[in-house]
Amino acid sequence: MSDARQVPGIGAIPPDSGMRAIEVGGDGRFRVGADGVRAIHLTGDEKVEFVAFAEHTLAYVRSAMGHPAIYPLRAARLERPVEAVLMDLDGTSVRSEPFWIWIIQSTVAELMGDAGFELEAADEPFVSGHSVSEHLQYCIDKYCPDRGVEEARRIYFRITRRELDAILAGGGRADAFVPAPGLKEFLTELKGRGIRIGLVTSGLHEKAWPEIVSAFRTLGMGDPLGFYDAIVTAGQALRPGQAGTLGELQAKPHPWPYAEVARLGLGIGPDRRARCLGLEDSGAGICSIRLAGFAAVGIEGGNIARAGVAPLVHCMKPALPDVLELL
């Protein structure tokens, strides 16, 4: 295999991985053959570029909102016994992605004035796993470039509040939030082994909290705040008349959600990164875990293969209980 497909911090990039080689990256900042750049590989969802040098790699995280970022990519090790499991919410812990994609679709339908509008199958990697604004900007660029993301956000949150209020009141879509297979058994086993658990989502708190509460109610597990050792969400939505957070611009695939739950939530410093394991089903989440310096295990059923990030995973597992053999 050519040196161009050997990326420090990742290893070999198979030709069928979904990543593709590009000549110019970083919005023109990097060019293969110039300034030590040996290769640039772009993920299948076109969210992250891995810029390879002789002995190190930089990850250039693109931004539909105009705020890209550059991070070093470290090689990720996994050592036993594992001290902490850092796990995603949507798709990994709770099967809710179809519901949130439906909310995006409903938003775009209203934005376009077309009640019959439906997203295409090819849109899925771009409307899951990232921030709300990224999802909406993608749809605007493709389907209605004459509309603005601010208008789309207003519609999105109005629909979201309506649907979540209905669900919390006992109505709404009955299949909106379904616990992942084996979730209760997996979490209970981790607790029994004394392994700490951090829950991480790019979802805004007002979206994520009903999901967590609903899943724990279904499983009869009580108060999530009394069970998880740390929970990190994207915070509050920034809307007129209220304070917000940076969550919409620093969400996955940026490293900060996983870095924060480990370092601040669980007190795990850089010297113990190898004792942590991250679980994700989305391409953006896998990138987030790896850029935070942790080994990433993919849970089947998400968009990891379609997003072209398979070279970043330690391994793939069919379901949560199958992860126990790694601990």
Side-chain angles (χ1 to χ4, degrees):
M1 183 170 294
S2 67
D3 289 342
R5 301 200 71 86
Q6 291 286 341
V7 178
I10 299 178
I13 306 293
D16 61 351
S17 69
M19 285 190 185
R20 61 184 176 90
I22 59 176
E23 291 297 312
V24 180
D27 294 319
R29 292 174 175 85
F30 304 106
R31 183 178 298 273
V32 175
D35 302 317
V37 176
R38 291 194 169 188
I40 305 173
H41 293 280
L42 176 64
T43 56
D45 59 6
E46 301 184 349
K47 292 293 182 181
V48 183
E49 302 167 8
F50 293 98
V51 184
F53 297 80
E55 297 182 356
H56 71 282
T57 297
L58 298 178
Y60 182 88
V61 178
R62 294 178 171 184
S63 172
M65 304 301 291
H67 295 279
I70 300 174
Y71 302 100
L73 175 69
R74 304 175 182 86
R77 295 183 298 109
L78 181 61
E79 297 178 358
R80 299 180 182 179
V82 170
E83 296 181 7
V85 170
L86 318 176
M87 56 192 305
D88 169 50
L89 176 62
D90 292 312
T92 303
S93 301
V94 178
R95 300 297 166 82
S96 61
E97 210 63 59
F99 173 76
W100 293 117
I101 291 176
W102 174 74
I103 294 286
I104 292 286
Q105 178 175 282
S106 300
T107 300
V108 179
E110 184 170 331
L111 200 62
M112 297 174 63
D114 178 5
F117 169 79
E118 293 186 0
L119 292 166
E120 300 174 355
D123 296 326
E124 184 178 340
F126 305 97
V127 295
S128 63
H130 307 289
S131 72
V132 171
S133 294
E134 296 274 357
H135 296 161
L136 294 174
Q137 188 64 60
Y138 165 81
C139 291
I140 288 170
D141 290 342
K142 181 172 180 178
Y143 293 109
C144 46
D146 59 324
R147 312 308 289 267
V149 71
E150 291 77 14
E151 179 185 7
R153 280 169 55 86
R154 288 194 294 271
I155 296 172
Y156 176 92
F157 286 113
R158 172 166 48 77
I159 295 174
T160 296
R161 286 194 299 271
R162 181 190 71 204
E163 295 298 324
L164 291 183
D165 287 347
I167 290 170
L168 290 176
R173 292 171 65 102
D175 61 346
F177 307 133
V178 179
L183 177 65
K184 183 175 183 177
E185 295 77 10
F186 179 68
L187 293 178
T188 302
E189 181 66 21
L190 293 183
K191 279 291 187 182
R193 297 189 188 190
I195 297 174
R196 287 175 291 169
I197 311 170
L199 184 65
V200 179
T201 177
S202 283
L204 294 165
H205 186 79
E206 64 197 81
K207 294 172 50 185
W209 188 242
E211 289 190 40
I212 303 168
V213 171
S214 176
F216 267 55
R217 283 178 181 170
T218 299
L219 298 174
M221 294 183 65
D223 181 8
L225 290 176
F227 187 92
Y228 288 104
D229 296 288
I231 299 175
V232 167
T233 72
Q236 304 298 324
L238 181 58
R239 295 196 291 266
Q242 72 176 54
T245 74
L246 292 174
E248 281 287 287
L249 293 181
Q250 64 179 18
K252 306 169 189 177
H254 295 276
W256 305 118
Y258 279 102
E260 184 166 334
V261 78
R263 187 65 186 90
L264 300 183
L266 303 179
I268 296 173
D271 60 323
R272 285 159 52 221
R273 283 196 183 104
R275 299 287 185 177
C276 293
L277 180 65
L279 305 181
E280 272 279 358
D281 76 318
S282 77
I286 292 294
C287 288
S288 181
I289 292 172
R290 285 299 316 277
L291 293 181
F294 306 112
V297 171
I299 303 298
E300 295 178 3
N303 71 349
I304 290 173
R306 292 190 302 277
V309 301
L312 296 172
V313 302
H314 178 78
C315 63
M316 293 290 298
K317 293 294 181 181
L320 292 173
D322 299 299
V323 177
L324 294 173
E325 65 190 29
L326 299 175
L327 309 180

